[in-house]
Amino acid sequence: MTKGRTYSRYTLEASALLGKQIRLGRKRRNWSETELAERAGIVRATVQKIEKGDPSCAVGLVFEAAALVGVRLFDPEADSLSGLLARADDTLSLLPKAARMKKGDVDDDF
């Protein structure tokens, strides 16, 4: 038997909140779980897991379900996501390409 993955309380609460927002968005559109599943290209059981806030659901599936029901992620304006992406790319371009662990101090005393 394998041991299940543990998640921080913050992760569990954030997943639960996003799941409830997705469920609320689905209900506002008068969609059944099956309708959302068909639109997202997933099975109804996955919609149920997403809406229950299961953190093991693939992030892409959760984001797709959120987008379909109108839950805005990161920013209320969908057009500004491209601006946030460009800013993140600019910041990443300034950082080193790889992180390396420091090797021990050089002993150069002769």
Side-chain angles (χ1 to χ4, degrees), residues 34-105:
T34 304
E35 285 178 290
L36 176 56
E38 288 172 359
R39 291 170 189 262
I42 56 179
V43 296
R44 183 174 159 258
T46 302
V47 170
Q48 291 172 330
K49 287 174 66 174
I50 289 169
E51 290 184 353
K52 286 180 182 174
D54 186 337
S56 68
C57 293
V59 69
L61 299 179
V62 176
F63 281 13
E64 183 65 17
L68 286 169
V69 299
V71 174
R72 293 287 179 216
L73 302 169
F74 303 110
D75 190 47
E77 300 295 327
D79 295 338
S80 64
L81 283 180
S82 58
L84 292 172
L85 282 170
R87 195 169 331 143
D89 286 338
D90 291 344
T91 303
L92 286 169
S93 69
L94 298 173
L95 296 173
K97 298 290 182 210
R100 294 187 179 88
M101 302 226 4
K102 273 189 169 181
K103 295 187 180 184
D105 291 336

Side-chain angles (χ1 to χ4, degrees), residues 1-5:
M1 189 177 342
T2 61
K3 184 178 177 185
R5 169 81 167 87

